[in-house]
Amino acid sequence: MARNVVEHGFTKDHRSHSIDIRVVYKDDDVILRIRDDCIPFDPVSRHKMSANEDKTSNIGLRVVFGISKNIQYQNILGMNVLTIRI
């Protein structure tokens, strides 16, 4: 997911961007939080929209959603905040 932010978010508008990645181990889960200041992108909505598409498309999203217990997306004050619990 962080790679997608760098590959797609950092190049879309030709501006400087930042990404902050946090990893926490809590209650036997790994929690990843990826926060960036790129254009808004909600992977949760995108995953729902691609559910009926070719199974080989959006493979990265499919893998992440397949191994995750919970994924939440928020856009807070212009920041994309993605929280993934594995």
Side-chain angles (χ1 to χ4, degrees):
M1 297 305 290
R3 179 187 165 279
N4 282 350
V5 170
V6 172
E7 182 177 340
H8 300 291
F10 279 35
T11 61
K12 291 293 180 191
D13 58 7
H14 306 289
R15 292 180 27 209
S16 294
H17 291 286
S18 65
I19 185 171
D20 177 65
I21 302 168
R22 306 257 171 154
V23 181
V24 175
Y25 181 74
K26 182 179 177 184
D27 301 328
D28 291 327
D29 289 341
V30 174
I31 302 167
L32 305 169
R33 192 207 61 205
I34 303 168
R35 184 174 59 186
D36 66 78
D37 63 353
C38 300
I39 60 171
F41 175 73
D42 180 356
V44 176
S45 294
R46 180 67 184 121
H47 178 69
K48 289 177 184 175
M49 289 185 328
S50 66
N52 295 326
E53 292 179 1
D54 177 8
K55 298 297 181 200
T56 61
S57 68
N58 298 302
I59 194 74
L61 282 177
R62 291 178 193 278
V63 169
V64 171
F65 276 81
I67 65 171
S68 301
K69 293 179 181 178
N70 185 291
I71 298 180
Q72 295 179 330
Y73 169 81
Q74 298 173 294
N75 189 285
I76 302 172
L77 300 173
M79 300 287 289
N80 294 302
V81 181
L82 182 64
T83 306
I84 304 168
R85 183 178 292 263
I86 300 172

